[in-house]
Amino acid sequence: MKPYRRITIAVLVAMALTVVARKAQLAPGPPQSRNNVLAQATPSQSAQPQRARISASQMPPGSSGPATELLKMMGVDRPDFGIRVAQSFDSSGKPAYETKGGDLLFFTNASVSYNSTADKPMIVIINVRARKIIAVSEIDMPSTPHGISLSPDAKYIYLPSGPSVTGGKSRAEGYFGGVSPSPTAVVDAKTLKVAALINTGGSTHHTHVFVDKYIYFDSFRGPVPIFLLDPATNKVVRAIPAGDFNGRPYIGFPSPDGKFIYVTVRPGISRDSSGREIDGWVSKINAETMQEIATFPVGPGPVWTAITQDGKTGYVTIAPMNRLVKLDLDTGKILGVAPTGRGPYGIRLSPDEKIAYVANKGEGGNGQKGATFSAIDTTTMTIIREQLSCPDGLCQADHILLSPDGKELWISNNMGSITIFDRETLKMIADIQMPKLGDAHGGTFVQVAPDNRSAKVVADIGGHHGGANPYAAFAKPSAPTDRSSNALVVVAKAVRFAPATLEVTAGQKITFEFQNKDEVDHNVVSNEAALPEVVLGGGQTKTVEWTAPSKPGAYKFVCTYHRGMDMTVNVK
């Protein structure tokens, strides 16, 4: 045999062996622990504990995920992940509607999806007490927003881009838009004119207020699927890249204390080699470091998470299986499973947390055709009642919001309406039709100040804000604790700190009790004295441990929300 033929054969044999070895590596193995978590769990029965990737009780900050490190190498992880204002506009002008002191307003978006006849997305504002629409404004953006939020001070509206509506099939053919990058709109909340367009590199989906300071977004595609935006600058302050989830993140909600974000995640491949649908999970994120610290398998296609006020229990809708999962957020143990209606989506808990209200949208392979909502007993995990979310059933329940006083349920129906129910009797109070059958998604309650000179967000899909908390009356009293002998009480009242001056010893360990006696929000921070930011909602009290600097001197503690609101801590 000639030499060149021997060489050729040797090369071909080596290549063949390499291919065989690679196939062996990629061959499907045994099902992973995330598979079929609910297979053995039946409604109203407890399942076995699920193992977290890291013990949540240890509360580690988390380490950087693979995508975070890759973005660092590429040099695009700082400072804004490519998310920035692309265009700014003059949004000044005459107010688009009138308000009176003490008014309660509901902002929603009416978009162009489903059976809408609108050509452009709309912002719709409802007077809550009158049950009437007081303003409608078309927004010129090439997409169909599926959510709405406002800055905590209610000065600006944020419309996530949603699916793009450029190109593709017609709505008559069932085309609701494609997932391609589109700008997120910032709209002046008084004039209802566009103030800015923000490029996120993706398609933002849901949005809500985060700890009364930032705006939370989740996004399809783009460099980061979960990020927090500072409405004062419209810049990203925290984010977590998609690759760090090892799956497809959907939507996240914060724990009431703002320490964690719980994100529902679906696997990158929905079915395993045997054809079984692979379970999704809830990812527990340290909200400060934006690192994943635990994962809790819950079943295929998880959607929404509602969290109890003590932060210990979560309720997760599992759309493909028509189930609601009750989850221990410390251990990941599934505490129970309840049946729901068809394709459950949004959730809201009653003020006493004894009932979960679930919107049955028809999500997760159910044809997007759901028209009911369910009231579920969270103790027995059984359905108390299921009923239509609109008078004739020609609707699609999507998001459920609890009014600021906890007495009403506001349901956004994708096919053209907002319906209002008495929370206790579940009797329909009002059916508010959207202009042009606009596709309503979510909403935000805004309280106008008594002097009619300012306003604030008091509730949205992320929970209650700005001091409004119907859950407070049912909160379990905490065990009394003896205040440390060196505890110092600082009161924020009338936009001032009292006392204005404190004296401590260098290196002294201090327990601060910060009390906000104002209705407006405050924060306390001192970079020079290494005091991390403490956010105080209206009427809120927080206790913080702090060690005085070793270097003597005068240190300023300030509220960055209100200029001139500061106090001096003299270290001796």
Side-chain angles (χ1 to χ4, degrees):
M1 185 179 292
K2 294 182 179 182
Y4 73 88
R5 289 183 178 176
R6 293 194 185 98
I7 294 172
T8 301
I9 292 173
V11 170
L12 290 174
V13 170
M15 292 176 63
L17 290 172
T18 301
V19 170
V20 170
R22 184 58 176 160
K23 284 186 175 180
Q25 289 178 344
L26 297 178
Q32 299 300 310
S33 61
R34 284 176 178 161
N35 258 25
N36 298 312
V37 169
L38 298 184
Q40 304 300 321
T42 57
S44 75
Q45 291 181 343
S46 297
Q48 294 300 314
Q50 305 301 318
R51 277 188 259 173
R53 181 178 300 167
I54 300 174
S55 174
S57 62
Q58 297 174 2
M59 300 301 179
S63 57
S64 297
T68 299
E69 296 304 320
L70 179 59
L71 288 173
K72 287 181 179 179
M73 293 171 63
M74 295 169 64
V76 295
D77 67 312
R78 295 290 185 270
D80 56 15
F81 294 95
I83 298 173
R84 57 179 68 100
V85 173
Q87 289 180 278
S88 297
F89 306 93
D90 181 5
S91 61
S92 61
K94 182 180 178 181
Y97 56 96
E98 298 295 328
T99 59
K100 295 184 295 184
D103 278 350
L104 183 62
L105 308 177
F106 183 81
F107 288 68
T108 189
N109 73 303
S111 202
V112 301
S113 301
Y114 302 100
N115 62 335
S116 172
T117 62
D119 295 319
K120 297 178 180 178
M122 296 172 286
I123 292 173
V124 178
I125 304 176
I126 300 169
N127 183 301
V128 171
R129 297 184 178 92
R131 321 286 192 200
K132 292 182 179 180
I133 294 174
I134 61 172
V136 177
S137 179
E138 290 187 335
I139 304 300
D140 192 7
M141 56 192 300
S143 56
T144 172
H146 283 188
I148 188 171
S149 185
L150 280 83
S151 55
D153 60 9
K155 290 182 179 180
Y156 291 97
I157 301 166
Y158 288 81
L159 281 183
S161 57
S164 170
V165 293
T166 56
K169 302 175 183 178
S170 68
R171 281 176 288 179
E173 299 174 90
Y175 180 73
F176 302 146
V179 183
S180 59
S182 298
T184 293
V186 185
V187 180
D188 187 294
K190 289 297 292 182
T191 65
L192 300 185
K193 294 180 179 179
V194 176
L197 293 175
I198 302 174
N199 280 343
T200 65
S203 175
T204 48
H205 191 197
H206 298 101
T207 180
H208 53 76
V209 169
F210 181 83
V211 297
D212 287 0
K213 184 175 183 181
Y214 300 130
I215 307 295
Y216 161 94
F217 284 98
D218 52 61
S219 175
F220 296 126
R221 300 186 180 178
V224 285
I226 305 292
F227 62 92
L228 303 179
L229 196 77
D230 187 344
T233 61
N234 283 328
K235 293 182 178 180
V236 174
V237 291
R238 301 177 203 166
I240 179 169
D244 286 8
F245 287 101
N246 295 312
R248 296 176 292 127
Y250 190 70
I251 182 173
F253 292 98
S255 57
D257 60 10
K259 292 182 179 180
F260 304 103
I261 302 174
Y262 294 91
V263 182
T264 48
V265 186
R266 289 93 179 266
I269 299 175
S270 60
R271 296 182 182 276
D272 64 17
S273 58
S274 67
R276 293 179 300 180
E277 190 157 6
I278 301 174
D279 288 336
W281 59 95
V282 172
S283 176
K284 186 173 185 176
I285 306 297
N286 182 314
E288 185 66 32
T289 65
M290 296 301 274
Q291 303 297 333
E292 183 181 81
I293 62 172
T295 57
F296 306 133
V298 289
V303 181
W304 204 280
T305 306
I307 303 166
T308 55
Q309 292 298 294
D310 61 9
K312 295 181 179 180
T313 307
Y315 295 87
V316 186
T317 44
I318 309 297
M321 298 185 71
N322 304 328
R323 293 290 184 264
L324 178 70
V325 168
K326 183 176 182 179
L327 183 68
D328 186 309
L329 295 177
D330 287 328
T331 66
K333 178 182 178 181
I334 292 180
L335 304 173
V337 182
T340 65
R342 185 177 184 177
Y345 202 81
I347 319 169
R348 184 56 58 208
L349 296 175
S350 61
D352 61 7
E353 300 181 339
K354 293 181 179 180
I355 301 174
Y357 303 98
V358 179
N360 301 313
K361 179 182 178 182
E363 186 80 357
N366 287 284
Q368 297 288 318
K369 296 184 184 300
T372 68
F373 71 100
S374 303
I376 296 175
D377 187 310
T378 58
T379 301
T380 63
M381 293 300 282
T382 56
I383 293 180
I384 300 171
R385 182 173 173 182
E386 181 181 359
Q387 68 179 61
L388 293 175
S389 63
C390 63
D392 52 14
L394 299 176
C395 55
Q396 184 177 324
D398 190 342
H399 300 177
I400 296 183
L401 292 95
L402 186 64
S403 61
D405 61 7
K407 295 180 179 180
E408 297 174 354
L409 298 172
W410 286 56
I411 302 179
S412 61
N413 295 291
N414 289 165
M415 300 175 75
S417 68
I418 298 288
T419 46
I420 308 170
F421 292 82
D422 181 282
R423 186 190 59 76
E424 292 186 348
T425 65
L426 298 186
K427 178 182 178 181
M428 184 181 293
I429 299 171
D431 176 20
I432 303 175
Q433 294 294 310
M434 295 294 99
K436 302 179 181 179
L437 292 176
D439 164 25
H441 271 85
T444 301
F445 287 95
V446 170
Q447 179 68 63
V448 179
D451 61 6
N452 201 27
R453 298 179 63 182
S454 63
K456 62 181 179 180
V457 171
V458 288
D460 60 14
I461 64 169
H464 290 77
H465 309 283
N469 186 2
Y471 298 91
F474 296 90
K476 296 178 181 178
S478 57
T481 56
D482 295 329
R483 185 175 293 165
S484 173
S485 59
N486 63 354
L488 297 175
V489 177
V490 176
V491 177
K493 187 174 182 180
V495 198
R496 292 287 185 272
F497 286 124
T501 304
L502 288 173
E503 291 190 358
V504 299
T505 304
Q508 182 181 0
K509 292 184 178 181
I510 304 293
T511 299
F512 277 118
E513 184 178 291
F514 293 110
Q515 301 177 2
N516 184 0
K517 300 295 186 181
D518 288 335
E519 292 186 359
V520 299
D521 300 344
H522 295 301
N523 70 342
V524 188
V525 64
S526 177
N527 293 330
E528 59 182 1
L531 177 73
E533 180 186 31
V534 181
V535 177
L536 298 166
Q540 192 173 28
T541 296
K542 287 187 178 180
T543 302
V544 177
E545 301 294 333
W546 173 73
T547 301
S550 58
K551 182 180 178 180
Y555 295 86
K556 286 286 187 182
F557 284 30
V558 302
C559 172
T560 60
Y561 298 173
H562 302 95
R563 182 174 297 179
M565 185 175 177
D566 57 43
M567 61 181 288
T568 301
V569 177
N570 293 314
V571 177
K572 297 183 176 181

